[in-house]
Amino acid sequence: PASPVEPLHTVTTLPTARRPGCPFDPPAELLDAHRHGPISRYSFPDGHQGWLVTGYDLVRAVLADTRFSSRKELMLHHPLIDYSGVEVPPAAPGEFLLMDEPQHGRYRKPLVGKFTVRRMRQLTERVEQITADHLDAMEEAGPPTDLVTAFATPIPAIMICELLGVPYEDRGAFQEQVVSFMNGETSDEDLFAAYTATQQYLAELVAAKRANPTDDVLSDLTDSDLTDEELQGMSLILLAAGLDTTANMLALGTFALLRNPDQLAGLRADPALADQAVEELLRYLSVAKTFMRTALEDVELGGQTIEAGTALILSYSTANRDAERFPDPHVLDLGRRAGGHLAFGHGIHQCLGQQLARVEMRVAFPALVNRFPTLRLAVPADEVGLRPETADIHGVKSLPVTWDI
Ligand code: HEM
């Protein structure tokens, strides 16, 4: 491990691809940085000297410490692009993922009660029904199919749209726009267009809910002192955070199960394994792979002084592969107790929708693998296209699968 007297390992750029043949493992450069120690220096493209935190204990410590900020306007240094001289605006009202207390709490508090374990369990039947409908449609259309569009994306999209109260007929366009935010492949121009269209749509939706409240989270929130603009920002965060993440877990998770047939067989044989299997897949895949923080004051961390104003890249994916926390970390073992993983983050920003995501995955994985006992890839594994590393959320572009009929 690195000690303060040894020169620290320095990483100069985040990788833009995973090692061929290793779609589930963090990129080699990050694992290599971690081999030098749980914290490395990181040279940002604009010349800023910041930090890359790869170890489980240190990532968790940063997330639990409010001296490390999530405020958007402090995130001046992009890990891959030199934005020197470009002013970063504060988060828009309601975009609480990118705020600290007390602003963050103003938005998170009214939502917490709507996403509790109990409330999400009540949705299980609905998730089961939506899942069964999509499996029926797959069966009817016959093999092969793209699992991303036939199964992995629509299930979380329908759930988050129903929770928020997005009318059924608006879902299609909407789903496409939200996915385009996170796939790392949308041109700046298209990104701007998708963002503007989504904002416009959400503004109209908030106005409609105020005029005619229905039975959903957004309508409930109109009965508070939150402004239309704030409700719009909150909805955007919920959509962006709730759709693409779970969709990629379902698709990449199925890919991982198909590449680990003994683990898949275990899950098929014992549906009671589903809860544990979901935690292990979350740990192993860490689709939400890196987040940024900025030090608000000088802080001692892992034997280093993190100076006020410096940027930290937190690698959740290597933290979840830290051998000191998870023995044989690169092995997918559905039998292990993977609880305590950081796939949903930790601290005040810990994923608000984690219970919803869990319900969706606990239902969808066993239902899929049991409906199609011969499910397999329809192309060689190395032809499955991965999202580029620049995407916020890791995943596959599509997952061609087939089965015997
Ligand atoms: C925050 C991951 C599903 C809503 C987060 C964070 C992570 C995460 C890592 C923390 C970010 C940070 O540290 O700054 C995931 C994964 C999911 C998932 C892996 C699926 C498997 C969902 C769903 C929803 C949701 C279904 C929607 C209902 C949110 C929100 C936040 C958040 C609102 C911001 C919380 C805050 O700032 O207080 N998520 N998420 N997520 N997630 Fe999720």
Side-chain angles (χ1 to χ4, degrees):
S3 79
V5 285
E6 283 171 32
L8 265 180
H9 180 65
T10 301
V11 178
T12 44
T13 182
L14 284 183
T16 52
R18 300 210 166 191
R19 270 175 305 157
C22 299
F24 314 119
D25 293 346
E29 295 84 342
L30 290 184
L31 291 172
D32 182 50
H34 185 70
R35 268 191 286 278
H36 286 85
I39 181 164
S40 306
R41 297 257 30 169
Y42 187 80
S43 276
F44 285 74
D46 62 5
H48 178 70
Q49 292 301 305
W51 301 91
L52 170 66
V53 190
T54 51
Y56 178 90
D57 287 342
L58 293 191
V59 170
R60 201 166 189 275
V62 172
L63 293 176
D65 189 332
T66 51
R67 291 173 298 174
F68 295 106
S69 170
S70 284
R71 274 161 60 195
K72 185 175 173 188
E73 69 271 30
L74 299 180
M75 295 195 189
L76 305 172
H77 312 287
H78 192 283
L80 292 172
I81 304 165
D82 182 355
Y83 279 133
S84 339
V86 176
E87 206 174 307
V88 182
E95 292 183 2
F96 58 104
L97 175 70
L98 300 173
M99 294 177 182
D100 295 343
E101 302 305 359
Q103 291 83 357
H104 166 263
R106 167 172 166 75
Y107 303 112
R108 178 157 172 137
K109 274 197 200 106
L111 286 170
V112 170
K114 316 222 173 280
F115 286 91
T116 56
V117 177
R118 193 174 57 84
R119 280 207 146 194
M120 294 304 119
R121 291 237 166 103
Q122 287 166 351
L123 294 176
T124 304
E125 243 173 67
R126 183 72 188 122
V127 177
E128 283 169 352
Q129 189 191 335
I130 295 167
T131 303
D133 289 349
H134 284 80
L135 293 173
D136 290 349
M138 278 170 65
E139 214 171 338
E140 208 167 296
T145 195
D146 170 19
L147 200 80
V148 172
T149 47
F151 188 76
T153 307
I155 295 172
I158 292 172
M159 286 310 295
I160 193 73
C161 285
E162 284 188 1
L163 269 173
L164 268 181
V166 173
Y168 185 80
E169 59 276 14
D170 296 341
R171 253 173 230 156
F174 200 66
Q175 179 179 310
E176 236 170 73
Q177 284 160 12
V178 174
V179 170
S180 75
F181 295 164
M182 324 273 257
N183 64 7
E185 294 197 299
T186 313
S187 69
D188 284 354
E189 206 173 288
D190 290 350
L191 203 58
F192 183 75
Y195 185 74
T196 313
T198 307
Q199 287 288 27
Q200 167 81 28
Y201 178 79
L202 289 175
E204 286 164 18
L205 187 68
V206 168
K209 297 292 171 191
R210 251 200 221 289
N212 295 303
T214 36
D215 182 17
D216 50 66
V217 170
L218 191 51
S219 296
D220 288 357
L221 291 175
T222 57
D223 194 16
S224 67
D225 63 351
L226 294 160
T227 66
D228 285 5
E229 212 187 357
E230 290 177 313
L231 291 175
Q232 203 179 311
M234 291 164 75
S235 307
L236 185 72
I237 290 289
L238 284 172
L239 285 164
L243 200 166
D244 201 46
T245 43
T246 317
N248 280 295
M249 270 304 299
L250 288 175
L252 197 66
T254 304
F255 185 18
L257 289 172
L258 293 173
R259 298 296 290 150
N260 289 270
D262 52 332
Q263 299 297 313
L264 173 55
L267 178 61
R268 261 199 196 108
D270 180 9
L273 198 62
D275 291 10
Q276 217 170 303
V278 162
E279 298 312 307
E280 171 65 349
L281 285 166
L282 283 160
R283 177 197 76 82
Y284 183 70
L285 299 171
S286 300
V287 294
K289 51 201 173 170
T290 45
F291 283 87
M292 303 281 299
R293 296 290 190 270
T294 309
L296 293 174
E297 49 186 272
D298 290 1
V299 182
E300 295 299 313
L301 183 78
Q304 308 300 325
T305 303
I306 312 296
E307 287 179 2
T310 41
L312 296 96
I313 303 170
L314 307 180
S315 169
Y316 294 9
S317 61
T318 51
N320 279 337
R321 297 289 189 99
D322 188 332
E324 290 190 11
R325 180 64 180 73
F326 302 103
D328 292 327
H330 304 304
V331 174
L332 176 71
D333 173 6
L334 302 187
R336 88 162 82 216
R337 305 228 165 263
H341 63 71
L342 297 173
F344 288 125
H346 178 68
I348 67 162
H349 290 281
Q350 191 180 44
C351 183
L352 179 76
Q354 58 185 287
Q355 304 306 345
L356 173 60
R358 285 193 169 106
V359 168
E360 292 174 349
M361 291 185 283
R362 286 171 183 174
V363 169
F365 281 124
L368 172 72
V369 299
N370 286 320
R371 176 73 75 101
F372 300 110
T374 57
L375 189 75
R376 58 190 178 273
L377 293 177
V379 296
D382 56 10
E383 284 176 24
V384 173
L386 293 184
R387 282 186 168 188
E389 255 332 88
T390 44
D392 293 317
I393 303 294
H394 184 47
V396 289
K397 292 181 191 173
S398 65
L399 191 70
V401 291
T402 189
W403 59 89
D404 297 339
I405 42 173

